[in-house]
């Protein structure tokens, strides 16, 4: 038997690099699996508030420069009925031209979803939409029916 003995020389530096890259590859695979797993998420109820609302008209104020603008939300026991702007005069419309169209877009989605969650808006109106969504949510928080803890 003539077996030729082969000697393999491994450098420690190469082993360390290989171990680091293998560890990063495993970490990346685990990350992708957790991000893109096909499990169903628990869906929130259609209403943002499972207990319902106290029927009425609720407002939340926005302070824009030296003027106040009110967002009015009308709710009944189980649903949001309408959302509109109050105290919107011509000077406010001129200074903030995106206010009305953004609220119309947001209110259509909010009335459809009955929630302020997962609302989409255009990139050029993100700040206006954020301020209006916060005002609507503040009004809805006022409308939230008290929870009976008995």
């Amino acid at each position: 038997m003539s077996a030729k003995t082969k000697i393999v020389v491994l450098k420690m530096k190469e082993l360390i690099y290989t171990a680091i890259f293998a560890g990063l590859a495993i970490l990346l695979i685990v990350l992708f699996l957790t991000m893109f797993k096909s499990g169903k998420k628990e869906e929130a109820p259609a209403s943002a508030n499972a207990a319902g609302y106290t029927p009425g008209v609720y407002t939340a104020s926005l302070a824009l420069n030296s003027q106040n603008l009110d967002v009015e939300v009308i709710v009944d026991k189980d649903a949001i009925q309408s959302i509109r702007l109050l105290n919107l005069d011509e000077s406010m419309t001129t200074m903030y031209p995106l206010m009305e169209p953004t609220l119309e877009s947001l209110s259509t989605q909010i009335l459809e979803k009955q929630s302020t969650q997962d609302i989409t808006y255009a990139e050029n109106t993100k700040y206006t939409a954020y301020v209006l969504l916060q005002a609507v949510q503040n009004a809805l928080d006022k409308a939230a029916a008290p929870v009976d803890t008995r």
Side-chain angles (χ1 to χ4, degrees), residues 8 22 48 74 86 120 126 132:
V8 178
I74 300 174
L86 300 176
T120 59
K126 66 182 176 182
L132 289 171

Side-chain angles (χ1 to χ4, degrees), residues 78-130:
D78 299 319
I80 303 166
Q81 296 299 315
S82 72
I83 301 169
R84 68 183 183 126
L85 290 172
L86 300 176
N87 306 332
L88 186 66
D89 59 8
E90 192 173 321
S91 65
M92 290 292 282
T93 305
T94 304
M95 290 182 66
Y96 303 101
L98 297 176
M99 197 67 68
E100 273 187 303
T102 303
L103 185 67
E104 287 175 18
S105 171
L106 295 175
S107 65
T108 302
Q109 294 180 61
I110 292 169
L111 293 175
E112 180 181 306
K113 295 180 181 184
Q114 291 295 308
S115 171
T116 57
Q117 304 300 315
D118 301 325
I119 301 297
T120 59
Y121 42 82
E123 182 68 25
N124 64 337
T125 63
K126 66 182 176 182
Y127 299 113
T128 305
Y130 177 77

